[in-house]
Structure formats: C-alpha cells, structure tokens
Amino acid sequence: MSHPRTPARRGLVWAIVGGIIVLAAVGAIILSAVTAQAPTADPSPSSGPGETSAPPATAPPTGDYVDQSASEKGWAPEPITTDPETYVRAALAAAATFDTRLSTRPEWLAYLDTWFTPDTRYTSEEDREEDMRASQLELRQGVVLPEDEWNSLANEEGRVTAEVPGEITYDDVPEDASGDMRIGTADVVLTFTRSDGSGSETSYDETVRVSVQVLCGAGSIPTRESAQQPGDCKVVRYFSGSLEP
Amino acid sequence: MGAPVAAAAALANTRTGRKIVTGAILLLALFAALLATPLIAVPFAVAGQSVATTVERRPALITNSEWAYPLAGGYFKGRGFGFNPVIGCSYCSIDHQGYDMAQGCGATVYAAGPGEVITAGSYQGYGNAVRIDHGGGLVTLYGHMQWGSLRASVGATVAAGAPIGAEGNTGRSFGCHLHFEVQRDGAAIDPQPFMAALGLQLK
C-alpha cells in the first residue's frame, strides 16, 4: 500500500530540503550584505594639519626638581627641598594641575604617585607599603577632581593650574615621635581654562581649602633615578574632606 | 549538485513544491519590506522632526507675577543651593551657587522673568550661558546650555517664558542639566525661596 506513494513522499522531502536551501541562501545574501558594510567612523575630531600643538600649561620651573620635564605634560614638577613650606605649597598645587590635552588622567595620577613616601609611624615595611597604597587610593577616590570632571574638561580642551597664594597653617601629626611630619592646610586657587565652542577660550578661578601631610626628614624615600635624597620632603597623604571646622 | 537539481525539479512539478515556492516568495517579500522600511520611515521622521522644532513643546508657566519656570513641565532636581560638597573630591567647591534641574539634553530653556539679556555665550565655568538683567540689581543666569542653541543675544529684551536656549552639558558640567542661578546685587541667592515668593515652587 505504501509503495506507490514513496516517490511522491521522496519528492516532498526533496522539495522541503530545497525550500530550506533557497531560504538559507537568501538569508545568507542578506546577512553578507549587512555585515559587508564598512564601519562608520566615530565623529570625534582629529588633529588637522593646520592645527598647532598645545603649549605647556605651566611655565618651565627654575630650581631643583625631581623631573623638570613634568611641566611639559602640564603637571607641576616636584621640588627637591627639605623646606616644608616650599614643599606643601607645591604638593597642594600639584594635585590640581593638569592639562587634558597633554596627558591622560591615569598618567597624571601615576605621576602624583611618585610624590608619595610611606608613613614612618608604621614600624613594619609591609604596613608602610600598605598604608601608602591606601593613601594613593584615597588621592584618586576622595581628593582630586573626579573622572567626570576630567572628561568634561577634556571635551573642551581644558586644563587646570593651581597655586597657593596665601598662608599655610600647620598641624602636628599625632603620634609622630620624629616630629618630621606636618599637616599643611591652605586655600588653593584653581584656574580652569577651556575652549568655549567658538574657538576662543574662557578661564575662571575657584578656591578650595585642602590639607596635605608631608614628611621632611629621615625616613623619606626619594623618587627612583632622581636627584632627590632621603630626608627630602615627600607626600604622606592628601586628606579627603576638610580638617577644619 | 544532485540535491538542488532534484529539489528544483520537485518544486516545479509538484503542487507542494509550488506552495513552498509561493511561501518562499512571500517570505522574501516580507524581508524586502523590512529592509525597505527605513528608506520610507526615516525621511518621514526627519520631516516630522523639522516640523516639530518649529513648535515649542509646552509653554512655560507664567504667573501673575510675570515670572515663569526656566523649564516647562516636570524635571529632575540636581544639586541645590549653598553648602553642597561633592562627595569624594577635596578639590571641588563645596558651595553651589545655583539650582540644578534637568529634563534632558536639548530641552528648551525659558527666561524666568522679563528683562534685558546681558550675557549670551561662553561665561566662566557655566559654559554656554545666558544672563538676564531684570532691573533692581536682580539677574538670573542659565548655565551649561548646548553650543549653538542660544535664541537670545546681548541687548535683546525678553519676556518671561521666552525660549532662550537648550539644556546642555557645556562648561563645568557632568551631564545635561540647567544651572539656574539668581543673583541680587552681584551675589547669588537661593532660587527656591525666590521663585516660591513669585508663586513658582521649585522642588
């Protein structure tokens, strides 16, 4: 009974197989047409031949510095000094001096890491290293301008220079038997400069009050491959939040 | 090679085959229509948008005091006036001079009150901003508007509720919002009680 229907059934099977092949072929053609389209370029601006390179944000420093070329990247160079006044002033400025045209935020933060030295109140090397890493994390998460602000500035070729024009107030560091560590607090004037969408630039100032703990004396670890010596001033930590009422 | 040839023969010679071909053609037509949809829909959408931009979404509420909300309709409130530290940033200002409000990028910003435009363009950290002098030492400021969106120029006289620009993310801003600031004799004052006194409650 089923023998006479076998050729027809076989034909139906082939027809279904053929139909699937036809649809698969059509699908493949459509897919290849879609995927073969060239990717569109991001509309981000690129430097044209007529554009000039951005000048350094800060003037080349004079005197002794760990890396004088830091200013070429828009950063504040670290002074080589044993004078807390000079160093605190520089450290407070450094944590808000950058040029988004000349470096990335991670590069700038890595540079600021080189200013740090461990807190000598810890007796073990391991604790000192751990505390310094925590202070460097605090710098990123609680002290410097946040990444959103960096990106906002970068969108408008922004940079910031900071300076401490006034007096610095000092506090002792608790349980510091050496007396070599100090906490300096001062008003820091941040000057923001950014393009205004019409090709020209606008600048404005903002004043914040920030504290930094420095070590000027035995136990400070100099930056590698620099002229800095043990005993020269280094940063122990920047403080997130105000230390004053 | 054998299978496709046999399939083609079966498609041509059997009723079922013809049905499969018809189905395949219908499916192909469906795919073609799907692919062609953007070609038809996009021009209509663009045309519709260009028509829509000539009409204001909603007028800003104007009260008997002849003042209006700087954004029409609902909005999200951002940082308020006064002591307002940015968590996790020692180098950020702790004093916020204005009242941040947001509807979304491109939302129309309206003049809160009648007066003369004294700033229209880049203004300090406010990005693309408009300042309006309302007389008597009173000035309102509208900050962070989109570049190229300003509809007011310096010296122009505007009425309350007049569109002056579009909400943006220019200047010292971390996202589209309007920084609405009220200044009296050069000093920023809290916009909330000021507007409330005019019958316009801010959140």
Side-chain angles (χ1 to χ4, degrees):
Chain A
M1 292 292 285
S2 62
H3 285 294
R5 294 178 65 182
T6 303
R9 189 170 291 174
R10 188 179 296 159
L12 179 63
V13 170
W14 280 118
I16 291 170
V17 170
I20 290 170
I21 290 171
V22 168
L23 287 178
V26 171
I29 290 167
I30 292 169
L31 194 67
S32 65
V34 170
T35 55
Q37 287 179 351
T40 52
D42 288 336
S44 53
S46 58
S47 296
E51 292 176 306
T52 55
S53 61
T58 54
T62 55
D64 292 331
Y65 293 91
V66 173
D67 179 8
Q68 202 140 346
S69 68
S71 59
E72 293 170 9
K73 294 184 177 179
W75 306 331
E78 182 183 3
I80 298 176
T81 180
T82 55
D83 176 29
E85 176 85 10
T86 302
Y87 195 81
V88 166
R89 211 171 279 281
L92 290 174
T97 298
F98 57 83
D99 188 330
T100 63
R101 303 166 304 172
L102 302 176
S103 75
T104 65
R105 189 169 184 269
E107 287 170 344
W108 175 59
L109 291 170
Y111 166 70
L112 290 179
D113 284 345
T114 67
W115 286 58
F116 280 71
T117 193
D119 190 330
T120 51
R121 288 175 296 174
Y122 291 94
T123 50
S124 83
E125 285 296 318
E126 195 175 81
D127 287 347
R128 287 183 179 189
E129 283 299 316
E130 193 174 320
D131 178 72
M132 192 175 81
R133 280 196 296 273
S135 295
Q136 289 168 339
L137 185 64
E138 184 181 24
L139 172 78
R140 287 160 170 73
Q141 296 184 342
V143 177
V144 297
L145 296 175
E147 190 170 5
D148 282 343
E149 175 118 23
W150 178 287
N151 293 338
S152 166
L153 282 161
N155 288 338
E156 296 174 351
E157 300 180 334
R159 62 264 191 199
V160 183
T161 55
E163 64 171 345
V164 180
E167 288 186 2
I168 300 169
T169 59
Y170 291 97
D171 289 293
D172 293 334
V173 175
E175 298 180 40
D176 173 31
S178 71
D180 291 335
M181 285 194 285
R182 294 179 187 198
I183 297 170
T185 302
D187 286 336
V188 185
V189 178
L190 281 60
T191 301
F192 294 79
T193 304
R194 58 206 308 163
S195 65
D196 66 359
S198 65
S200 54
E201 291 185 332
T202 182
S203 288
Y204 54 94
D205 290 347
E206 204 163 277
T207 301
V208 294
R209 194 155 180 83
V210 191
S211 301
V212 64
Q213 179 180 333
V214 299
L215 168 60
C216 300
S220 73
I221 297 176
T223 300
R224 285 180 203 159
E225 298 173 5
S226 77
Q228 211 169 33
Q229 299 294 317
D232 285 337
C233 295
K234 297 292 285 183
V235 169
V236 175
R237 67 176 288 201
Y238 289 93
F239 290 87
S240 52
S242 173
L243 292 183
E244 298 174 336
Chain B
M1 286 298 288
V5 172
L11 288 172
N13 297 326
T14 67
R15 184 181 292 173
T16 310
R18 284 193 288 275
K19 284 180 180 174
I20 289 171
V21 169
T22 306
I25 290 170
L26 283 173
L27 276 173
L28 278 175
L30 191 65
F31 271 122
L34 204 65
L35 292 173
T37 298
L39 298 175
I40 301 163
V42 168
F44 273 109
V46 169
Q49 203 171 40
S50 63
V51 169
T53 51
T54 61
V55 181
E56 290 308 319
R57 229 169 31 154
R58 279 173 292 180
L61 174 65
I62 301 175
T63 65
N64 291 335
S65 60
E66 294 187 343
W67 279 68
Y69 286 112
L71 290 177
Y75 61 89
F76 294 101
K77 182 192 171 190
R79 293 174 79 195
F81 179 82
F83 179 74
N84 220 312
V86 176
I87 304 300
C89 178
S90 298
Y91 279 86
C92 294
S93 170
I94 59 173
D95 189 19
H96 190 231
Q97 302 283 297
Y99 178 92
D100 289 348
M101 49 203 306
Q103 280 186 332
C105 301
T108 302
V109 174
Y110 301 91
E116 181 187 344
V117 176
I118 55 173
T119 299
S122 177
Y123 185 68
Q124 302 175 1
Y126 302 101
N128 201 22
V130 165
R131 287 198 310 150
I132 299 172
D133 184 352
H134 304 285
L138 189 66
V139 170
T140 54
L141 184 153
Y142 311 80
H144 308 310
M145 290 191 282
Q146 290 179 349
W147 296 122
S149 74
L150 299 191
R151 298 197 228 170
S153 53
V154 174
T157 300
V158 293
I164 54 174
E167 187 184 318
N169 186 27
T170 57
R172 202 169 180 195
S173 167
F174 304 160
C176 280
H177 74 279
L178 169 67
H179 174 97
F180 176 56
E181 189 169 320
V182 182
Q183 300 168 346
R184 190 180 290 284
D185 298 326
I189 61 172
D190 190 346
Q192 278 183 291
F194 172 81
M195 294 293 278
L198 296 167
L200 297 161
Q201 295 287 344
L202 296 173
K203 288 182 182 176

